[in-house]
Amino acid sequence: MDIFIFRKVKRMAQKEFRKPPRYMVGDIVYSHGFICIVCSIYPFNIDYSYDLKVIDGQSLGKICQNDIMHVHIWEEFLKKNGWTCYRSEGECFGHRWYKHQEYPFTLRYNNFLGIIGVSFNDGKDDTVMIKCVDELQHILFGLQLDSNLKI
């Protein structure tokens, strides 16, 4: 009886300490050589597994969170999704500022480091730094804007 109670308490403790999923449904990620979209999320032990669909429609099935990587933001991706460069400083080590007519923030792209500062006061101060497409999608989702982006 005592062993049964111990096991039940141990399982409850594992569930309580589960971190939130790293990705959300609709996130653009990279796995097994493909850029994919997260279709669904499943609890798996103390982690998560994700049902992924390749951009061309092929399903990869359930993939462990550790086998999924972020897709870094690149300038062509920003342009394809409606962002326009409105200011530039330096080519190799400089920055480029991007605006989108539907979004209330600007992006400052660091050419050298490949990181992006997100600013809500027209590029004066960065609120947060991001590098990956899913992080940009999470910001858009949090602002209740369309987070479905094109690859």
Side-chain angles (χ1 to χ4, degrees):
M1 182 75 170
D2 291 336
I3 292 173
F4 175 73
I5 293 172
F6 175 75
R7 286 182 181 167
K8 188 170 183 173
V9 169
K10 186 177 177 183
R11 274 186 270 162
M12 288 173 54
Q14 283 179 339
K15 289 180 183 179
E16 288 176 23
F17 293 113
R18 183 188 305 263
K19 292 181 182 178
R22 186 180 304 159
Y23 305 104
M24 299 185 327
V25 172
D27 279 356
I28 297 169
V29 296
Y30 181 84
S31 183
H32 295 89
F34 299 101
I35 294 179
C36 306
I37 296 174
V38 175
C39 296
S40 50
I41 304 168
Y42 305 95
F44 178 73
N45 291 334
I46 59 168
D47 213 347
Y48 296 89
S49 65
Y50 300 83
D51 187 19
L52 301 182
K53 186 176 179 182
V54 179
I55 298 297
D56 67 10
Q58 166 189 348
S59 177
L60 291 184
K62 289 185 182 178
I63 305 294
C64 177
Q65 183 167 283
N66 293 336
D67 294 330
I68 301 173
M69 297 187 303
H70 299 282
V71 175
H72 290 273
I73 297 172
W74 65 101
E75 292 185 82
E76 290 79 19
F77 167 80
L78 292 174
K79 291 175 185 173
K80 187 174 186 176
N81 284 283
W83 295 88
T84 55
C85 181
Y86 71 95
R87 183 173 152 202
S88 180
E89 289 180 4
E91 281 301 312
C92 296
F93 300 106
H95 296 93
R96 290 198 174 109
W97 283 262
Y98 289 89
K99 279 188 180 179
H100 194 288
Q101 67 183 34
E102 297 176 17
Y103 302 150
F105 56 91
T106 59
L107 301 178
R108 182 176 55 89
Y109 185 83
N110 182 313
N111 299 337
F112 181 68
L113 298 175
I115 58 174
I116 296 177
V118 179
S119 172
F120 288 88
N121 59 1
D122 209 22
K124 294 178 181 83
D125 297 313
D126 296 331
T127 304
V128 67
M129 302 297 281
I130 62 173
K131 287 181 91 166
C132 306
V133 174
D134 62 278
E135 293 171 326
L136 178 58
Q137 288 180 290
H138 294 182
I139 290 170
L140 294 171
F141 181 81
L143 294 171
Q144 298 179 347
L145 299 169
D146 184 13
S147 61
N148 295 317
L149 303 174
K150 301 173 197 165
I151 289 289

